[in-house]
Amino acid sequence: MPRYHTPCMPTEVARYLDCRPGETIVDGTVGGAGHARMICARIAPDGLFIGIDQDKDAIRHARDKLAPWAPMVHLIHANFGHLERVLDDLGIEGVDGVLLDIGLSGHQLQGSGRGFSFTKDEPLDMRMNTDDPTAAADIIQTADVKTLAKIFRDYGEERRAGVFARAIVREREHADLSRSRPLADLIVRLVPRREAARQKIHPATRVFMALRIAVNRELERLQQVLPAAVRRLNAGGRLCVLSFHSLEDRIVKHAFRDMSAGCRCDPRLPACVCDRTPQVRVLTRRVVRPQADEVAANPMARSTRLRAVVKLAAEEAVR
Ligand SMILES: C[S@@+](CC[C@H](N)C(=O)[O-])C[C@H]1O[C@@H](n2cnc3c(N)ncnc32)[C@H](O)[C@@H]1O
């Protein structure tokens, strides 16, 4: 049975997503259906809920959890990168809200058996969608030093990216690195003990996170979905994104800034030639973090960051 955790920042999500009865809301990352239950309760009985997840376990689990609202619920196994295709297939033009709670579910980390955690000894899979072609073990066993180092550096911001990449390529000549434990052990051996003792996180944290991001092409998908979600929002519709590390948050922040900006022309030009109008208003001037009491009760919420925008009506969208 999947193990899921409490949804992160439920009060803040309720505030910024601001669902009302009868609305159409997309949860692009339905996961353990915690936020989904909250949304369904608010838009019932005449609303429409579209829950998307690329993990089949999550869709199965959500079907159970959302049974009380079954007539108004569509659950779709898909990548949120294909949000517009999902809506087209359902014949839905515009929606009143989109929630994205990026990252791993408690089930994926602790109960999926797919090697997301360096504390377990499991096949190094890390695919959220098990139909995807490339697992983490394929990357570890075949990628060259340059590619591995780039993954660790770009997605994990790992200072020892080159050292780890070279060691993996050497080690895999004679050892099996297709499981999470041997990979985690190798990384631990490469970090001087004194330095490891000073670090707040396990030495393999960044490598595991980087691999997961690469396997699931997480940053690419996030970049893809933000403008797509805004395109499909009705005027006054809200997009609320929860992210878990600085790379994701930077993408969200820049996309929101970009979509809320109007004309970019040189002010010395006599008239605008770029034709850009703001599409959204940013609701969160600064990133919103969870309250201390939530972090105490739910440590998984510790690094959550929330940002939200509201879609402007055509008459508000002036340069
Ligand atoms: C943090 S959990 C969501 C938890 C959920 N909000 C709740 O209340 O239980 C993230 C979920 O998003 C899914 N996910 C991550 N990236 C995705 C993507 N690109 N497309 C679809 N689902 C994705 C994962 O499979 C996972 O189930």
Side-chain angles (χ1 to χ4, degrees), residues 4-5 7-8 27-36 52-55 58 78-81 99 101-105 108 128 221 244:
Y4 288 95
H5 291 268
C8 293
D27 182 343
T29 50
V30 81
H35 291 120
I52 299 173
D53 204 294
Q54 62 173 328
D55 191 325
N79 196 296
F80 60 54
L99 172 65
D101 178 11
I102 313 294
L104 271 187
S105 69
Q108 286 165 334
M128 292 184 187
R221 298 303 195 185
F244 288 84

Short mmCIF file of all heavy atoms in Angstrom, two decimals, residues 4-5 7-8 27-36 52-55 58 78-81 99 101-105 108 128 221 244, ligand 1:
data_model
loop_
_atom_site.label_atom_id
_atom_site.label_comp_id
_atom_site.label_asym_id
_atom_site.label_seq_id
_atom_site.Cartn_x
_atom_site.Cartn_y
_atom_site.Cartn_z
N TYR A 4 1.78 7.84 1.85
CA TYR A 4 1.84 9.24 1.46
C TYR A 4 1.87 10.12 2.70
O TYR A 4 1.50 9.69 3.77
CB TYR A 4 0.65 9.60 0.57
CG TYR A 4 0.75 9.00 -0.81
CD1 TYR A 4 0.12 7.79 -1.10
CD2 TYR A 4 1.48 9.63 -1.80
CE1 TYR A 4 0.22 7.24 -2.36
CE2 TYR A 4 1.58 9.08 -3.06
CZ TYR A 4 0.95 7.89 -3.33
OH TYR A 4 1.05 7.34 -4.59
N HIS A 5 2.30 11.34 2.50
CA HIS A 5 2.42 12.26 3.64
C HIS A 5 1.43 13.39 3.53
O HIS A 5 0.78 13.57 2.52
CB HIS A 5 3.85 12.81 3.68
CG HIS A 5 4.84 11.77 4.06
ND1 HIS A 5 5.21 11.56 5.35
CD2 HIS A 5 5.49 10.87 3.32
CE1 HIS A 5 6.07 10.56 5.39
NE2 HIS A 5 6.26 10.12 4.17
N PRO A 7 -0.07 16.94 2.85
CA PRO A 7 0.31 17.90 1.80
C PRO A 7 1.05 19.10 2.39
O PRO A 7 0.80 19.48 3.54
CB PRO A 7 -1.04 18.32 1.21
CG PRO A 7 -2.04 18.02 2.25
CD PRO A 7 -1.53 16.84 3.03
N CYS A 8 1.96 19.67 1.62
CA CYS A 8 2.73 20.82 2.11
C CYS A 8 1.96 22.11 1.97
O CYS A 8 1.23 22.31 1.00
CB CYS A 8 4.04 20.93 1.33
SG CYS A 8 5.13 19.56 1.64
N ASP A 27 -4.98 19.81 -10.82
CA ASP A 27 -3.85 19.51 -9.95
C ASP A 27 -2.89 18.70 -10.82
O ASP A 27 -3.16 17.54 -11.15
CB ASP A 27 -4.32 18.71 -8.73
CG ASP A 27 -3.16 18.41 -7.77
OD1 ASP A 27 -2.00 18.54 -8.20
OD2 ASP A 27 -3.43 18.03 -6.61
N GLY A 28 -1.80 19.33 -11.24
CA GLY A 28 -0.87 18.70 -12.19
C GLY A 28 0.03 17.67 -11.54
O GLY A 28 0.76 16.95 -12.22
N THR A 29 0.00 17.59 -10.20
CA THR A 29 0.88 16.68 -9.46
C THR A 29 0.06 16.06 -8.33
O THR A 29 0.28 16.36 -7.16
CB THR A 29 2.07 17.45 -8.87
OG1 THR A 29 1.55 18.59 -8.16
CG2 THR A 29 3.05 17.93 -9.93
N VAL A 30 -0.88 15.20 -8.67
CA VAL A 30 -1.90 14.77 -7.71
C VAL A 30 -1.29 13.98 -6.54
O VAL A 30 -1.78 14.07 -5.42
CB VAL A 30 -3.05 14.05 -8.46
CG1 VAL A 30 -2.71 12.62 -8.76
CG2 VAL A 30 -4.34 14.15 -7.70
N GLY A 31 -0.21 13.24 -6.78
CA GLY A 31 0.55 12.55 -5.73
C GLY A 31 -0.33 11.79 -4.75
O GLY A 31 -1.13 10.94 -5.12
N GLY A 32 -0.22 12.12 -3.45
CA GLY A 32 -1.01 11.44 -2.41
C GLY A 32 -2.42 11.98 -2.28
O GLY A 32 -3.15 11.57 -1.37
N ALA A 33 -2.79 12.92 -3.16
CA ALA A 33 -4.15 13.49 -3.24
C ALA A 33 -4.53 14.33 -2.02
O ALA A 33 -5.71 14.59 -1.80
CB ALA A 33 -5.20 12.41 -3.51
N GLY A 34 -3.56 14.77 -1.24
CA GLY A 34 -3.84 15.62 -0.08
C GLY A 34 -4.42 16.96 -0.51
O GLY A 34 -5.50 17.36 -0.08
N HIS A 35 -3.70 17.67 -1.41
CA HIS A 35 -4.23 18.93 -1.92
C HIS A 35 -5.50 18.66 -2.72
O HIS A 35 -6.45 19.44 -2.68
CB HIS A 35 -3.21 19.63 -2.82
CG HIS A 35 -2.01 20.14 -2.09
ND1 HIS A 35 -0.73 19.71 -2.37
CD2 HIS A 35 -1.89 21.04 -1.07
CE1 HIS A 35 0.12 20.34 -1.56
NE2 HIS A 35 -0.55 21.14 -0.76
N ALA A 36 -5.51 17.55 -3.45
CA ALA A 36 -6.66 17.23 -4.32
C ALA A 36 -7.95 17.12 -3.52
O ALA A 36 -8.99 17.63 -3.92
CB ALA A 36 -6.38 15.92 -5.07
N ILE A 52 -3.64 15.15 -12.52
CA ILE A 52 -2.63 14.56 -13.42
C ILE A 52 -1.47 14.07 -12.57
O ILE A 52 -1.08 14.73 -11.60
CB ILE A 52 -2.12 15.64 -14.41
CG1 ILE A 52 -3.28 16.18 -15.27
CG2 ILE A 52 -1.00 15.10 -15.28
CD1 ILE A 52 -2.89 17.37 -16.15
N ASP A 53 -0.92 12.92 -12.91
CA ASP A 53 0.35 12.50 -12.33
C ASP A 53 1.03 11.56 -13.31
O ASP A 53 0.37 10.79 -14.00
CB ASP A 53 0.18 11.81 -10.97
CG ASP A 53 1.44 11.91 -10.11
OD1 ASP A 53 2.47 11.32 -10.51
OD2 ASP A 53 1.42 12.62 -9.08
N GLN A 54 2.37 11.62 -13.35
CA GLN A 54 3.08 10.73 -14.27
C GLN A 54 3.38 9.38 -13.61
O GLN A 54 3.94 8.50 -14.26
CB GLN A 54 4.34 11.39 -14.79
CG GLN A 54 5.38 11.74 -13.75
CD GLN A 54 6.66 12.23 -14.40
OE1 GLN A 54 7.00 11.79 -15.49
NE2 GLN A 54 7.38 13.10 -13.73
N ASP A 55 3.01 9.25 -12.34
CA ASP A 55 3.25 8.00 -11.63
C ASP A 55 1.93 7.24 -11.51
O ASP A 55 0.96 7.75 -10.94
CB ASP A 55 3.82 8.33 -10.23
CG ASP A 55 4.34 7.10 -9.52
OD1 ASP A 55 3.75 6.01 -9.71
OD2 ASP A 55 5.33 7.22 -8.77
N ALA A 58 0.34 6.85 -8.09
CA ALA A 58 -0.37 8.03 -7.57
C ALA A 58 -1.79 8.07 -8.13
O ALA A 58 -2.74 8.36 -7.39
CB ALA A 58 0.39 9.30 -7.95
N ALA A 78 -0.33 11.16 -16.94
CA ALA A 78 0.37 11.93 -17.99
C ALA A 78 1.41 12.80 -17.34
O ALA A 78 1.43 12.98 -16.12
CB ALA A 78 -0.64 12.83 -18.73
N ASN A 79 2.28 13.35 -18.18
CA ASN A 79 3.23 14.32 -17.71
C ASN A 79 2.58 15.70 -17.79
O ASN A 79 1.93 16.00 -18.80
CB ASN A 79 4.48 14.29 -18.59
CG ASN A 79 5.64 14.99 -17.94
OD1 ASN A 79 5.58 16.19 -17.70
ND2 ASN A 79 6.67 14.24 -17.63
N PHE A 80 2.76 16.52 -16.77
CA PHE A 80 2.11 17.84 -16.83
C PHE A 80 2.68 18.70 -17.96
O PHE A 80 2.11 19.72 -18.32
CB PHE A 80 2.08 18.56 -15.48
CG PHE A 80 3.41 18.86 -14.84
CD1 PHE A 80 4.41 19.54 -15.50
CD2 PHE A 80 3.64 18.49 -13.51
CE1 PHE A 80 5.63 19.84 -14.89
CE2 PHE A 80 4.84 18.79 -12.88
CZ PHE A 80 5.84 19.45 -13.58
N GLY A 81 3.81 18.28 -18.51
CA GLY A 81 4.34 18.95 -19.70
C GLY A 81 3.34 18.87 -20.85
O GLY A 81 3.40 19.66 -21.79
N LEU A 99 -2.63 23.87 -9.90
CA LEU A 99 -1.68 23.67 -8.80
C LEU A 99 -0.58 22.73 -9.27
O LEU A 99 -0.86 21.69 -9.89
CB LEU A 99 -2.39 23.03 -7.59
CG LEU A 99 -1.47 22.59 -6.45
CD1 LEU A 99 -0.78 23.78 -5.78
CD2 LEU A 99 -2.25 21.79 -5.39
N ASP A 101 2.74 20.89 -7.48
CA ASP A 101 3.49 20.64 -6.25
C ASP A 101 4.63 19.73 -6.68
O ASP A 101 4.55 18.51 -6.60
CB ASP A 101 2.53 19.96 -5.25
CG ASP A 101 3.19 19.59 -3.94
OD1 ASP A 101 4.32 20.03 -3.70
OD2 ASP A 101 2.56 18.85 -3.16
N ILE A 102 5.69 20.39 -7.18
CA ILE A 102 6.77 19.70 -7.88
C ILE A 102 7.57 18.80 -6.93
O ILE A 102 7.72 19.11 -5.76
CB ILE A 102 7.77 20.74 -8.44
CG1 ILE A 102 7.04 21.87 -9.15
CG2 ILE A 102 8.78 20.10 -9.36
CD1 ILE A 102 6.33 21.49 -10.37
N GLY A 103 8.13 17.75 -7.50
CA GLY A 103 9.06 16.96 -6.69
C GLY A 103 8.55 15.57 -6.40
O GLY A 103 7.68 15.04 -7.09
N LEU A 104 9.10 14.99 -5.34
CA LEU A 104 8.84 13.59 -5.01
C LEU A 104 7.73 13.47 -3.99
O LEU A 104 7.62 14.28 -3.08
CB LEU A 104 10.07 13.03 -4.32
CG LEU A 104 11.17 12.41 -5.14
CD1 LEU A 104 12.18 11.78 -4.20
CD2 LEU A 104 10.63 11.39 -6.11
N SER A 105 6.93 12.43 -4.10
CA SER A 105 5.94 12.15 -3.06
C SER A 105 6.60 11.30 -1.98
O SER A 105 7.64 10.66 -2.22
CB SER A 105 4.74 11.42 -3.65
OG SER A 105 5.11 10.11 -4.03
N GLN A 108 6.97 7.81 -3.25
CA GLN A 108 8.10 7.56 -4.16
C GLN A 108 9.40 7.43 -3.38
O GLN A 108 10.21 6.54 -3.63
CB GLN A 108 8.20 8.71 -5.19
CG GLN A 108 7.11 8.62 -6.24
CD GLN A 108 6.95 9.89 -7.05
OE1 GLN A 108 7.28 10.98 -6.60
NE2 GLN A 108 6.42 9.74 -8.26
N MET A 128 9.75 8.43 -12.32
CA MET A 128 8.41 8.64 -11.77
C MET A 128 7.41 7.94 -12.68
O MET A 128 6.44 7.36 -12.21
CB MET A 128 8.09 10.13 -11.71
CG MET A 128 8.93 10.87 -10.70
SD MET A 128 8.40 12.59 -10.62
CE MET A 128 9.65 13.27 -9.57
N ARG A 221 10.49 20.03 -18.02
CA ARG A 221 9.03 19.92 -17.92
C ARG A 221 8.43 21.12 -17.21
O ARG A 221 7.36 21.60 -17.58
CB ARG A 221 8.64 18.64 -17.15
CG ARG A 221 9.09 17.37 -17.80
CD ARG A 221 8.58 17.26 -19.19
NE ARG A 221 8.72 15.91 -19.69
CZ ARG A 221 8.44 15.56 -20.93
NH1 ARG A 221 7.99 16.44 -21.79
NH2 ARG A 221 8.59 14.32 -21.32
N PHE A 244 10.81 22.73 -4.44
CA PHE A 244 11.57 22.25 -3.28
C PHE A 244 13.04 22.57 -3.28
O PHE A 244 13.73 22.27 -2.34
CB PHE A 244 11.35 20.73 -3.12
CG PHE A 244 9.97 20.46 -2.64
CD1 PHE A 244 8.93 20.39 -3.54
CD2 PHE A 244 9.68 20.38 -1.30
CE1 PHE A 244 7.63 20.21 -3.11
CE2 PHE A 244 8.39 20.20 -0.85
CZ PHE A 244 7.36 20.12 -1.77
C1 LIG B 1 5.14 16.26 -3.95
S1 LIG B 1 4.15 15.07 -4.76
C2 LIG B 1 2.57 15.82 -4.79
C3 LIG B 1 1.83 15.68 -3.50
C4 LIG B 1 0.39 16.13 -3.57
N1 LIG B 1 0.27 17.53 -3.83
C5 LIG B 1 -0.36 15.75 -2.30
O1 LIG B 1 -1.03 16.61 -1.74
O2 LIG B 1 -0.28 14.60 -1.89
C6 LIG B 1 4.66 15.25 -6.40
C7 LIG B 1 3.94 14.36 -7.40
O3 LIG B 1 4.11 14.99 -8.66
C8 LIG B 1 4.35 14.01 -9.63
N2 LIG B 1 5.08 14.67 -10.71
C9 LIG B 1 6.31 15.25 -10.64
N3 LIG B 1 6.64 15.76 -11.84
C10 LIG B 1 5.59 15.51 -12.67
C11 LIG B 1 5.35 15.78 -14.04
N4 LIG B 1 6.25 16.40 -14.81
N5 LIG B 1 4.17 15.39 -14.56
C12 LIG B 1 3.25 14.73 -13.80
N6 LIG B 1 3.44 14.43 -12.51
C13 LIG B 1 4.60 14.81 -11.94
C14 LIG B 1 5.13 12.95 -8.93
O4 LIG B 1 4.97 11.70 -9.58
C15 LIG B 1 4.50 12.97 -7.53
O5 LIG B 1 3.49 12.02 -7.41
#
